[in-house]
Amino acid sequence: MTSTLALLGGQPEVTAAGPHFEWPPIDDTTRAKVAAQLDAAVSLPGRSGIVADLEDGLQDYFGVRHAVTTSSGTAALHATYWAARIKPGDEVIVPAWTFHATASPLFHLRAVPVLCETRPDGNIDPNRVEELITPRTRAIMVTHLWGKPADMTDLVAVANAHDLVVLEDGSHAHGASITGQKVGTFGLASAFSLNGPKPLSGGEGGFVLTDDDDTYHRVITLAHYNKQAKTEIPEGHSLARFAVTGAGLKLRIHPLAAAIAHDQLARLDGYLSGRAEIARYLTGQLARIPGLEVTEMPEGVVPSWYGLTLTYKPDELGGLPIEKFHQALIAEGATEFDRPGSTCPMNQLPLYQHPTMLFPGHPNSHRRYEPGDFPVAEHAHAHTIKLPVWHREQDLALAERYARAAVKISDHHKELL
């Protein structure tokens, strides 16, 4: 008898042609704005035009005094660390599970990323931070993984108790909030990505947020030499004399990326509202499926739903390996179900095991990382299945099919054992 499972010859649950999720949404309005920018300027060396419009919009949206766009989220993180005065030999506590660029710019500053165990949701565990603090510790960098805000109340309390700087990587979490306060506004500065699939996208790009004038001037010095530095850094400031050269780097956003991001910013809250509706449906359906566990959101926490993450429970399905379960999902046509790849526990990456291969003489001799060092993060990563979250009402029918695919595999898991 032919199995009902598509992997074993049955009919797939999802028959719509893929891809089933594309981001950012591009329409005629977006195209017109990009075309208009092509006619206006394809290079903006100062804070003017569409770049100024985007930065003004970001300041208003996040309620901060300064927003500085950059060429990428990685560049924004580099600028954030440099502006926060992270110097050679300083230690910065970072979550063990995040995208590597959260911490990799530290190597270029000859500073030391100190990996910290996470909670099962991937966000840094505030209860494990204090044990890592040494006289060399300068800052805590917090990632809001998959768009779910980290526990900023406890993290800020630990930082304040030890006179540490709080920095945020909000690259997954545009518009997410905790009791009404937006992610990216809890510390000295924050960095965001505008890369392709991010909740707010320009295709490529990034930005730094801060309320601190000196931090703002330092970001400009690192990333925007000459025109913008000469215009924005006040006369008499210690950095003003370096305006022409800055620190020697040019990390400007492209005006066409700024045009896309500016268009998307006006729609962001609408996107997030739609995602919340689809996420509410999906979590309600998926939470009832044996073999899958949905992370609950604490009271007052509003995620961006960059990704909806599920914890796979093999013991509930007779020990069926996650690889087989995921393979069955793909066979059912639910091809957007994914397992985290490069966003992984960083102790598994050669850069964090042997940084001196790329950065000779790096001062990390007292921090050596190997697989197995962070059992919570590593177990969670190995058992995570994630799904992008749609935002349109017409996407609900597809979300229903995806939920039915997961139910089907769970119900018939014995056929895969």
Side-chain angles (χ1 to χ4, degrees):
M1 182 180 294
T2 302
S3 170
T4 59
L5 293 175
L7 187 62
L8 301 178
Q11 292 299 309
E13 193 64 46
V14 183
T15 56
H20 300 143
F21 184 88
E22 296 181 274
W23 201 263
I26 302 294
D27 60 14
D28 288 343
T29 300
T30 316
R31 295 184 185 94
K33 289 186 176 181
V34 172
Q37 187 57 44
L38 281 169
D39 291 335
V42 293
S43 178
L44 290 171
R47 191 182 189 279
S48 61
I50 191 63
V51 172
D53 291 343
L54 175 57
E55 291 179 350
D56 288 345
L58 292 168
Q59 288 167 191
D60 290 343
Y61 183 81
F62 286 93
V64 296
R65 297 185 62 237
H66 302 293
V68 187
T69 50
T70 60
S71 56
S72 68
T74 305
L77 285 155
H78 187 177
T80 297
Y81 285 127
W82 193 85
R85 299 177 182 273
I86 303 302
K87 62 185 185 298
D90 282 352
E91 295 182 350
V92 179
I93 297 172
V94 301
W97 182 11
T98 182
F99 186 62
H100 69 86
T102 299
S104 55
L106 290 167
F107 291 115
H108 293 267
L109 300 176
R110 294 184 56 79
V112 180
V114 177
L115 308 190
C116 181
E117 183 65 281
T118 70
R119 289 174 170 170
D121 65 2
N123 282 332
I124 193 168
D125 186 344
N127 296 319
R128 301 296 299 274
V129 170
E130 211 155 19
E131 65 195 52
L132 300 173
I133 296 172
T134 75
R136 294 179 292 271
T137 307
R138 169 68 178 157
I140 303 170
M141 171 59 85
V142 182
T143 301
H144 305 282
L145 196 63
W146 313 124
K148 179 193 172 185
D151 185 350
M152 295 308 299
T153 299
D154 285 354
L155 288 165
V156 169
V158 172
N160 289 343
H162 295 272
D163 195 26
L164 302 179
V165 171
V166 174
L167 305 171
E168 296 175 76
D169 180 354
S171 294
H172 292 180
H174 313 69
S177 62
I178 304 171
T179 60
Q181 183 175 348
K182 283 190 171 64
V183 159
T185 65
F186 286 87
L188 174 68
S190 60
F192 287 77
S193 171
L194 293 170
N195 174 261
K198 301 306 192 304
L200 177 62
S201 177
E204 279 293 352
F207 58 92
V208 179
L209 304 178
T210 185
D211 281 324
D212 182 70
D213 289 346
D214 184 64
T215 301
Y216 170 64
H217 296 143
R218 288 180 62 79
V219 171
I220 295 296
T221 301
L222 181 78
H224 295 270
Y225 60 62
N226 204 13
K227 277 197 175 181
Q228 188 165 352
K230 287 164 70 175
T231 302
E232 297 292 315
I233 300 175
E235 289 185 26
H237 191 284
S238 60
L239 295 174
R241 60 183 172 145
F242 298 103
V244 171
T245 61
L249 299 180
K250 182 173 72 173
L251 305 177
R252 296 200 302 258
I253 192 171
H254 196 287
L256 298 185
I260 296 171
H262 185 256
D263 170 69
Q264 297 294 302
L265 180 60
R267 310 165 188 241
L268 179 57
D269 282 343
Y271 293 158
L272 296 179
S273 177
R275 284 187 179 199
E277 288 298 319
I278 299 290
R280 190 174 298 113
Y281 169 79
L282 281 171
T283 54
Q285 296 297 309
L286 297 171
R288 297 200 293 266
I289 300 174
L292 297 177
E293 179 180 279
V294 177
T295 302
E296 296 290 331
M297 294 296 160
E299 186 71 25
V301 170
V302 178
S304 68
W305 293 114
Y306 174 61
L308 190 160
T309 56
L310 306 164
T311 301
Y312 181 66
K313 300 285 188 179
D315 292 348
E316 296 179 5
L317 298 181
L320 180 70
I322 188 172
E323 294 83 1
K324 198 71 172 179
F325 188 89
H326 182 238
Q327 186 182 6
L329 286 169
I330 302 303
E332 292 296 337
T335 53
E336 299 297 341
F337 276 113
D338 187 26
R339 297 184 61 205
S342 55
T343 301
C344 67
M346 295 191 295
N347 60 303
Q348 299 175 353
L349 298 173
L351 176 60
Y352 290 85
Q353 296 169 351
H354 307 288
T356 53
M357 293 283 290
L358 298 181
F359 300 95
H362 186 267
N364 76 319
S365 58
H366 56 294
R367 299 288 183 185
R368 305 291 295 178
Y369 295 113
E370 298 178 357
D373 286 347
F374 301 95
V376 176
E378 292 173 74
H379 182 272
H381 171 259
H383 291 81
T384 292
I385 298 173
K386 64 184 177 72
L387 187 63
V389 182
W390 298 274
H391 73 285
R392 304 173 303 175
E393 187 175 351
Q394 60 263 42
D395 293 324
L396 184 58
L398 186 59
E400 290 172 351
R401 287 286 182 178
Y402 268 67
R404 285 165 62 178
V407 169
K408 181 180 177 182
I409 297 164
S410 179
D411 286 349
H412 295 271
H413 71 274
K414 291 182 180 179
E415 299 174 27
L416 298 172
L417 293 172

